[in-house]
Structures are given as structure tokens and as C-alpha cells.
Amino acid sequence: MKIRPLADRVLVKTEKSETKTASGIIIPETAQEKTQIATVVAIGDNKEKIKVSVGDRIMYDKYAGTNIKIDGEEHLILKGDDIIAVIE
């Protein structure tokens, strides 16, 4: 399935949370915190308002975006304003 975000929206692939602590304790999926780091997969056509490029690793607001699954993998569609930083 192909998805192309519109306007100032950005499609990102979320990174998986750590499932094990440094000491080796396994954290169940229900107790894991949602990660706020993702990689930009596609950007909308309003490029003046979007300050990221495809391939950038970004941080986004905790409760932002719409969750979708593409080919069995978790993705988010975010507004450009929900992106808070680019990780370099």
C-alpha cells in the first residue's frame, strides 16, 4: 500500500521501544512507553511549511498523529507543527 500525505502532513515510521532493560529485565509490550522518535518516510506537498526531509530522524509530540499500519509496520501521519526536533 502506498500513502502520500497531503498539505503540511508528514508520514513517519516509528522506532520500536526497548523490550529489555540494561539489567536484562524484559518489559511487556503493554508496559512500554510509546517512543517519540521516528524516521520521515514521505512529506506533503506544502514544502514551505515542512522543515524536514525524507530520511530525517525526528522527535514528535507525545500524543500527536494518527496511527496507521502499512504492510504490517507501524507508521504515523503527523502535522508539520507536531515535529519538535530533528535528530542529527
Side-chain angles (χ1 to χ4, degrees):
M1 173 170 39
K2 277 194 133 184
I3 297 203
R4 182 176 50 93
L6 300 176
D8 67 337
R9 306 278 196 237
V10 178
L11 176 66
V12 298
K13 182 178 180 206
T14 56
E15 291 186 3
K16 298 212 185 246
S17 301
E18 288 296 320
T19 57
K20 194 187 289 187
T21 65
S23 61
I25 298 172
I26 296 175
I27 304 169
E29 198 169 309
T30 55
Q32 294 174 9
E33 275 201 37
K34 181 179 155 188
T35 182
Q36 293 168 256
I37 298 175
T39 302
V40 177
V41 175
I43 58 174
D45 49 7
N46 188 357
K47 294 179 178 35
E48 298 84 37
K49 194 166 183 178
I50 301 171
K51 306 291 186 212
V52 296
S53 303
V54 173
D56 285 350
R57 285 184 71 220
I58 56 116
M59 292 182 71
Y60 57 90
D61 285 330
K62 188 169 189 166
Y63 300 107
T66 301
N67 289 312
I68 59 171
K69 274 196 175 187
I70 302 173
D71 299 327
E73 295 187 18
E74 293 291 325
H75 288 72
L76 276 175
I77 296 180
L78 300 169
K79 289 183 181 178
D81 293 340
D82 291 333
I83 297 171
I84 56 177
V86 175
I87 301 170
E88 296 181 349

